[in-house]
Amino acid sequence: MPSLENPVHPPDLIIAARWIIPVEPANLVLEDHALVVRGGRIAAIMPREAAEEAFPSASLLERPTHVLLPGLVNAHTHAGMTLLRGFADDLPLETWLHDHVWPTEARWISPSFVRDGTNLALLEMLQGGTTTFADMYHHPDVVAAAVADSGMRAAIGMIVLEAPTPWARDAAECLSKGLALHDQFKGHPRISMMFAPHSPYAVADATFEQVRILADELDVPVQMHLHETAAEIDTAVERNGRRPLQRLVDLGMVTPLLAAVHMTQLTTDEIGLLADRGALVIHCPESNLKLASGFCPVTRLAGAGVRLALGTDGAASNNDLDMFSEMRTAALVAKGVMADAGVLPAAATLRMGTLGGAEALGLGDRIGSLEPGKEADLICVDLARPATQPVHSPISQLVYATSRDQVTDSWIAGQHLLADGKPVHLDSGAILARAAAWAVKFGRGDG
């Protein structure tokens, strides 16, 4: 089998689908077209007959009841936390974190925990149509190794906290180890890096200043939890007289490299500030709903010109990594909050789950839309199911009616990693067995 690190690209491939949705431009649906993959990239999109004539030696894959679209981009995860799925549910964020999640992580987190949890996340995401994700978790070296072995694409967070963690003793060691990891994977075809300071309340001013300088020098994104709850805002104002976003502005952190996660607590002036400075917001609606954290004002952000992406957050607070569900929830919540059925329409929501996420990870020029020259990160979704028939609008069906179980194929950089719903490289049985073993450990308290 060819190495995923140095793949031997298969012969040219023509994928002939019933519908092709490029995402860019918006609302475009191509019928009876074909996409040509050559050398891991999109070579052309054209009518099927023209593609077969122009590429006579290419293999042909027919998907007559399917939509072909870019792979989904999950812009914010904690992949290893799949092993905590269903753990300490139905609690507010502060109680959930401080009294349950963080003490449990302090006891259990290890390279093997992160490896097994990440592999479970990779399997779940691949089968659900996600081809790229951003990760913010402990032992990012282990996460990167798992991604490299899997064939998937990821932006790995160089996690930064002042407090000791299973990964590093303090913020200085976080940065040192993160930079070493950045150097190790520099130039990797599927792995990129980003700075991931956990939150304003977990990182000191001096550390933020270092992160800002390094992010500018390396030109890598900075992703952090920000304005996640009202309690976070109140505590920050009590401690230093400033809302967290203003503190980051004063430190020079609010730039086009910043991807702010959650953002449920925003004033009109803050929305304008984000727009003026070019920062991006990653919306995690299902996690925010489950933890009762609030509602990100996506409609007002979009109206101000703020770039938007979607993430699931971790499986411990969602409780899944299902981007189809996330798109549907984002669209419906926006309409309900604004009492306006026309806000966040299906095409805009689909963009958030594809190209918007790619932009949040600094990958918008490589993936996220179907354009010649971009890398062939693609998925096929079968709409010939009762729940998605009849098809009046493929884009609406994807956002409002489609289940992740309808994903039949995924390609990443032209490599066919999910074929007829079955992983090509990932060992599902072994991954699930290791996950089950962790549940047994938790139950009997093994250390």
Side-chain angles (χ1 to χ4, degrees):
M1 182 179 295
S3 166
L4 290 169
E5 295 304 315
N6 298 291
V8 176
H9 293 292
D12 294 349
L13 173 66
I14 298 173
I15 307 170
R18 175 69 178 84
W19 302 276
I20 295 179
I21 298 175
V23 171
E24 188 69 31
N27 287 303
L28 178 63
V29 179
L30 301 171
E31 296 194 45
D32 298 317
H33 273 57
L35 182 146
V36 182
V37 178
R38 169 176 282 178
R41 295 184 177 273
I42 299 169
I45 302 173
M46 59 180 66
R48 172 179 171 162
E49 291 184 3
E52 291 186 70
E53 183 177 335
F55 297 88
S57 63
S59 301
L60 175 66
L61 179 66
E62 299 195 64
R63 290 291 181 257
T65 61
H66 296 62
V67 178
L68 178 66
L69 69 153
L72 303 179
V73 179
N74 190 342
H76 180 67
T77 75
H78 310 284
M81 293 186 82
T82 53
L83 296 184
L84 298 178
R85 193 195 315 267
F87 175 85
D89 277 345
D90 305 320
L91 296 169
L93 176 64
E94 285 75 19
T95 303
W96 178 77
L97 271 179
H98 293 278
D99 297 346
H100 297 276
V101 171
W102 285 346
T104 301
E105 288 180 326
R107 177 178 181 184
W108 291 99
I109 292 297
S110 64
S112 61
F113 178 102
V114 173
R115 180 200 64 216
D116 293 344
T118 297
N119 280 327
L120 181 61
L122 293 171
L123 179 62
E124 179 182 356
M125 286 190 284
L126 181 66
Q127 291 187 303
T130 293
T131 55
T132 298
F133 70 104
D135 191 63
M136 179 192 289
Y137 207 51
H138 306 291
H139 296 294
D141 56 334
V142 175
V143 179
V147 172
D149 290 343
S150 73
M152 289 186 69
R153 191 184 305 277
I156 308 297
M158 295 179 277
I159 187 75
V160 182
L161 296 101
E162 303 295 339
T165 72
W167 165 244
R169 292 185 301 270
D170 53 24
E173 188 175 18
C174 282
L175 289 172
S176 174
K177 295 178 78 171
L179 291 172
L181 194 62
H182 174 273
D183 290 344
Q184 178 183 344
F185 284 93
K186 187 175 182 179
H188 191 283
R190 292 178 286 100
I191 294 175
S192 58
M193 306 299 294
M194 62 182 186
F195 284 102
H198 179 273
S199 57
Y201 57 81
V203 178
D205 285 3
T207 302
F208 272 132
E209 290 171 354
Q210 286 182 277
V211 170
R212 183 198 69 225
I213 293 169
L214 290 168
D216 288 344
E217 288 179 352
L218 299 174
D219 193 29
V220 298
V222 178
Q223 182 175 132
M224 80 175 87
H225 306 106
L226 183 61
H227 283 220
E228 186 171 0
T229 66
E232 174 193 342
I233 308 297
D234 293 342
T235 300
V237 171
E238 288 175 9
R239 286 179 177 173
N240 56 42
R242 291 175 294 174
R243 290 166 66 88
L245 183 61
Q246 185 58 53
R247 175 177 162 225
L248 293 179
V249 169
D250 295 342
L251 290 168
M253 290 293 299
V254 184
T255 74
L257 292 176
L258 176 65
V261 184
H262 297 300
M263 298 298 267
T264 69
Q265 315 291 319
L266 287 171
T267 66
T268 298
D269 287 346
E270 287 170 338
I271 291 172
L273 187 152
L274 291 167
D276 290 344
R277 294 181 178 243
L280 190 146
V281 170
I282 300 173
H283 182 30
C284 301
E286 293 189 357
S287 175
N288 292 341
L289 287 169
K290 183 165 178 281
L291 295 171
S293 299
F295 300 96
C296 176
V298 288
T299 303
R300 292 193 292 142
L301 287 163
V306 177
R307 297 173 296 154
L308 296 167
L310 276 176
T312 60
D313 209 350
S317 65
N318 187 307
N319 290 5
D320 58 41
L321 306 176
D322 183 351
M323 284 293 289
F324 281 100
S325 174
E326 210 71 35
M327 289 192 291
R328 180 162 54 252
T329 300
L332 297 181
V333 167
K335 297 171 193 301
V337 167
M338 298 301 293
D340 182 350
V343 303
L344 202 60
T349 307
L350 182 61
R351 189 189 191 283
M352 288 173 65
T354 51
L355 186 56
E359 291 172 348
L361 309 187
L363 300 173
D365 60 338
R366 296 174 57 189
I367 61 168
S369 59
L370 304 185
E371 302 176 62
K374 281 195 168 184
E375 298 194 46
D377 287 16
L378 322 164
I379 61 173
C380 275
V381 180
D382 187 4
L383 297 188
R385 307 283 177 88
T388 46
Q389 287 290 313
V391 181
H392 299 295
S393 166
I395 295 177
S396 287
Q397 297 300 69
L398 288 172
V399 173
Y400 297 122
T402 296
S403 161
R404 60 179 171 177
D405 295 333
Q406 293 173 244
V407 177
T408 60
D409 301 90
S410 295
W411 294 263
I412 299 171
Q415 297 294 312
H416 204 180
L417 297 185
L418 187 76
D420 294 317
K422 304 294 184 182
V424 175
H425 294 288
L426 293 175
D427 186 339
S428 301
I431 290 170
L432 294 172
R434 286 194 292 269
W438 280 102
V440 173
K441 281 187 177 184
F442 289 161
R444 68 186 182 209
D446 286 0

